[in-house]
């Protein structure tokens, strides 16, 4: 804290802004309350406090409007003090709008009536090509499902009629396949909408992450190895329930699902058009969700397959490349890429002579660096390849790491709130890009 005491009020303000940008909301709130407000009670300071308080609140297991209001009470009080300093502060008013919308959500029915969402057949020879890409991330995939539900509500269209291609890795593949699988009785319309997939994450997470039964010997053997934590039977039963015997080739949209094969040194892309088009969706999903240490590899065509996220957690570039391969012009391609949340680790303590203890102590951080680098590199590359109106990337940053297998109610509620906050922030702060996207998807 000595460092912050040596800073000027303006420097402290900038430091708090940096903490918020790094998703260190609790640290920012503590610093503003205990240091900055004692020397600088401007509306700008109060605005930063509002932002930190909105982000670092506790998440309740209930969705009642009264308790939602209490959740944001500190931020609401700070808004009042900020507006007393400057009643014309637009940023503070925007924060108030976001909080009011989040509170109002608690009093609304979360599930849209099915008749509000319409499937509209696409024109097959249309030159425009919309791509939806969804990262891997386990239970955190609920955020992508929520954003897609909001898009369906706003456009009154199903995702399979808005996007010509859906790409997904691991949990992203579940969403992509779920939105593209045809109805059992009418093979020209989708079996599920995004709202149903949100409910899948909320109610069926426990059916995927079923811990393996272990005797004493197996328990100790797995404790000192990389043996899978969960049985694959739970997710197989879930996939068979939602996808039945549907083949990859029967999907309503083009599909791109990355999977790592033990026999190759590269990532294989399962699509509707490849030589393995007759593969069942259940088998493809069993393979792409076979995350090492979580599930055992899935055997397909005599070869072990594991989670595509090991090499391609963000499949956006692969989907874009496939679209070019299919003959679509770059100018006619639009991409919506959905992340499943990330977390900024504190820097490792420098060590000139790291030993095995150093690496074991920091194993999670080192693995995260290795796995995350691909998704961030792809985002950067896509932003260079395409302009802002043809490439959208939605991603949130957590204050604390949320593991992909944490399906408990409080965690799911937290992810829901984060997803809704991000949506409301886009409506307020994103220079009308969200509305332009909705208009594009509504009428094309």
């Amino acid at each position: 804290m000595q460092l912050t005491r040596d800073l000027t009020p303006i420097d402290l303000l900038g430091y708090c802004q940096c903490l918020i940008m790094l998703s260190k909301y609790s640290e920012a709130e503590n610093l503003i309350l205990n240091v900055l407000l004692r020397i600088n009670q401007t509306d700008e300071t109060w605005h930063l406090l509002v932002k930190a308080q909105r982000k670092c609140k506790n998440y309740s297991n209930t969705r009642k409007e009264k308790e939602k209001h209490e959740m944001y009470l500190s931020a609401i009080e700070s808004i009042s003090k900020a507006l007393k300093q400057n009643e014309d502060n637009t940023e503070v008013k925007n924060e108030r709008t976001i909080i009011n919308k989040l509170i109002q959500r608690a009093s609304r029915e979360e599930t849209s009536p099915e008749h509000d969402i319409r499937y509209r057949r696409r024109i097959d020879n249309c030159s425009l090509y919309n791509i939806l890409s969804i990262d891997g991330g386990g239970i955190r995939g609920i955020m992508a499902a929520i954003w897609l539900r909001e898009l369906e509500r706003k456009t009154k269209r199903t995702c399979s009629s808005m996007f010509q291609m859906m790409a997904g890795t691991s949990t992203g593949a579940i969403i992509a396949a779920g939105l593209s699988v045809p109805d059992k009785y009418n093979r020209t319309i989708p079996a599920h909408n995004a709202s149903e997939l949100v409910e899948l994450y909320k109610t069926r997470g426990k059916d995927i992450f079923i811990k393996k039964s272990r005797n004493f010997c197996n328990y100790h053997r797995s404790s000192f190895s990389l043996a899978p934590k969960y049985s694959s039977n739970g997710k197989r039963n879930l996939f068979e329930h939602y996808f039945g015997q549907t083949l990859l080739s029967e999907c309503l949209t083009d599909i791109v699902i990355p999977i790592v094969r033990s026999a190759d040194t590269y990532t294989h892309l399962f699509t509707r058009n490849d030589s393995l088009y007759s593969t069942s969706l259940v088998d493809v999903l069993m393979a792409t969700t076979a995350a090492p240490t979580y599930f055992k590899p899935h055997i397909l065509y005599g070869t072990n397959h594991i989670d595509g996220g090991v090499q391609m957690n963000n499949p956006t570039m692969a989907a874009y490349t496939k679209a070019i391969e299919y003959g679509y012009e770059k100018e006619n391609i639009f991409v919506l890429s959905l992340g499943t949340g990330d977390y900024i680790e504190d820097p490792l303590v420098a060590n000139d002579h790291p030993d095995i203890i150093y690496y074991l102590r920091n194993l999670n951080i080192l693995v995260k660096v290795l796995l995350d680098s691909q998704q961030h590199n792809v985002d950067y590359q896509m932003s260079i390849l395409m302009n802002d109106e043809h490439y959208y990337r939605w991603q949130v940053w957590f204050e604390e790491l949320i593991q992909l297998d944490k399906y408990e109610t409080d965690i799911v509620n937290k992810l829901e709130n984060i997803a809704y906050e991000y949506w409301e922030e886009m409506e307020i702060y994103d220079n009308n890009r969200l509305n332009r996207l909705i208009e594009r998807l509504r009428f094309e």
Side-chain angles (χ1 to χ4, degrees):
M1 190 64 73
Q2 181 61 43
L3 172 64
T4 59
R5 289 174 181 170
D6 295 336
L7 297 176
T8 66
I10 294 178
D11 291 335
L12 272 174
L13 197 66
Y15 183 68
C16 291
Q17 288 174 330
C18 290
L19 288 175
I20 291 174
M21 290 176 65
L22 292 171
S23 303
K24 308 297 183 183
Y25 307 118
S26 298
E27 188 176 345
E29 180 188 27
N30 182 62
L31 183 59
I32 294 170
L33 286 173
N34 296 316
V35 180
L36 188 55
L37 279 176
R38 295 180 180 180
I39 57 176
N40 185 26
Q41 290 201 20
T42 64
D43 59 305
E44 191 173 2
T45 302
W46 284 109
H47 167 242
L48 284 183
L49 180 60
V50 170
K51 208 163 192 176
Q53 289 173 329
R54 173 169 66 82
K55 291 286 191 176
C56 68
K57 62 194 173 300
N58 293 320
Y59 294 93
S60 172
N61 286 341
T62 180
R63 306 184 64 85
K64 293 180 181 178
E65 184 174 358
K66 178 182 177 182
E67 295 187 3
K68 280 276 189 178
H69 183 275
E70 292 174 353
M71 183 191 305
Y72 293 104
L73 191 57
S74 296
I76 292 171
E77 291 175 352
S78 297
I79 287 173
S80 176
K81 293 177 181 178
L83 293 177
K84 283 183 180 179
Q85 295 280 343
N86 180 3
E87 62 182 13
D88 296 323
N89 190 312
T90 304
E91 295 295 312
V92 174
K93 290 180 178 179
N94 286 340
E95 286 293 319
R96 182 175 61 186
T97 300
I98 291 173
I99 290 174
N100 287 339
K101 286 186 175 182
L102 291 170
I103 292 172
Q104 291 167 8
R105 278 188 180 275
S107 62
R108 295 205 305 261
E109 181 64 33
E110 292 294 348
T111 304
S112 295
E114 286 189 12
H115 60 77
D116 281 348
I117 308 298
R118 298 187 295 273
Y119 176 79
R120 190 174 79 196
R121 184 180 293 277
R122 299 182 307 274
I123 301 174
D124 291 335
N125 61 355
C126 179
S127 61
L128 300 177
Y129 197 78
N130 295 335
I131 298 174
L132 171 65
S133 175
I134 311 167
D135 291 8
I139 197 66
R140 303 195 304 259
I142 189 175
M143 295 188 298
I146 286 172
W147 294 332
L148 293 172
R149 177 170 68 180
E150 293 301 307
L151 277 181
E152 287 190 341
R153 287 175 172 175
K154 294 287 187 179
T155 61
K156 305 298 182 184
R157 296 179 62 183
T158 63
C159 285
S160 60
S161 67
M162 289 188 282
F163 297 96
Q164 283 77 14
M165 175 186 285
M166 297 190 195
T169 300
S170 196
T171 195
I174 298 175
I175 298 173
L179 296 173
S180 188
V181 65
D183 183 76
K184 182 178 180 180
Y185 301 104
N186 183 348
R187 308 299 282 179
T188 64
I189 64 173
H192 311 292
N193 58 37
S195 184
E196 293 173 88
L197 296 185
V198 172
E199 291 305 309
L200 182 155
Y201 281 97
K202 292 171 66 174
T203 62
R204 303 296 297 272
K206 63 182 183 298
D207 297 331
I208 295 179
F209 299 107
I210 300 177
K211 289 194 174 181
K212 299 176 68 175
S213 58
R214 298 170 178 167
N215 57 35
F216 180 81
C217 294
N218 285 338
Y219 176 81
H220 284 278
R221 182 177 61 189
S222 61
S223 297
F224 296 97
S225 69
L226 296 179
K229 293 170 59 177
Y230 302 106
S231 166
S232 296
N233 295 333
K235 63 174 184 170
R236 174 175 282 281
N237 292 336
L238 183 71
F239 295 157
E240 289 177 347
H241 172 75
Y242 277 88
F243 302 102
Q245 298 180 343
T246 304
L247 302 179
L248 190 63
S249 58
E250 296 178 289
C251 288
L252 296 173
T253 68
D254 288 329
I255 286 285
V256 176
I257 298 177
I259 297 173
V260 177
R261 296 193 297 198
S262 62
D264 298 327
T265 57
Y266 63 91
T267 306
H268 179 76
L269 302 178
F270 277 84
T271 71
R272 287 198 308 179
N273 305 317
D274 67 12
S275 58
L276 302 179
Y277 65 91
S278 60
T279 306
S280 73
L281 273 177
V282 170
D283 273 324
V284 174
L285 294 177
M286 287 295 292
T288 193
T289 57
T293 76
Y294 289 92
F295 298 101
K296 68 180 182 181
H298 182 64
I299 300 175
L300 187 59
Y301 302 113
T303 302
N304 280 339
H305 292 68
I306 63 173
D307 191 341
V310 172
Q311 296 180 354
M312 195 179 289
N313 198 56
N314 179 349
T316 305
M317 182 64 75
Y320 174 79
T321 304
K322 279 293 178 183
I324 296 294
E325 182 183 315
Y326 293 162
Y328 291 93
E329 298 292 334
K330 172 184 174 181
E331 294 75 17
N332 295 328
I333 296 174
F334 168 81
V335 178
L336 173 60
S337 176
L338 305 182
T340 55
D342 205 347
Y343 167 68
I344 300 175
E345 293 275 5
D346 291 329
L348 290 176
V349 177
N351 190 331
D352 291 335
H353 304 286
D355 54 18
I356 188 64
I357 302 299
Y358 174 84
Y359 287 113
L360 289 175
R361 184 180 297 142
N362 298 292
L363 182 60
N364 288 338
I365 297 177
L366 296 172
V367 170
K368 182 180 184 301
V369 170
L370 291 173
L371 295 182
D372 281 2
S373 58
Q374 183 271 341
Q375 61 176 312
H376 300 310
N377 287 337
V378 166
D379 180 32
Y380 171 74
Q381 291 160 359
M382 290 300 301
S383 66
I384 297 297
L385 279 172
M386 308 184 75
N387 62 47
D388 285 346
E389 291 305 313
H390 283 78
Y391 173 67
Y392 283 52
R393 172 69 173 174
W394 296 352
Q395 177 67 300
V396 299
W397 296 88
F398 303 131
E399 182 171 17
E400 298 176 347
L401 179 63
I402 298 178
Q403 299 289 351
L404 60 85
D405 57 342
K406 296 298 182 182
Y407 59 83
E408 293 80 6
T409 301
D410 59 330
I411 297 297
V412 172
N413 285 346
K414 182 174 184 176
L415 290 168
E416 279 191 276
N417 277 278
I418 292 172
Y420 289 133
E421 280 193 346
Y422 188 78
W423 180 271
E424 300 299 347
E425 287 170 354
M426 286 194 293
E427 287 199 318
I428 295 293
Y429 292 120
D430 206 19
N431 196 27
N432 208 37
R433 290 183 80 226
L434 179 59
N435 288 331
R436 292 199 297 274
L437 168 64
I438 291 169
E439 291 304 303
R440 175 191 178 100
L441 296 176
R442 177 183 291 155
F443 295 111
E444 285 188 359

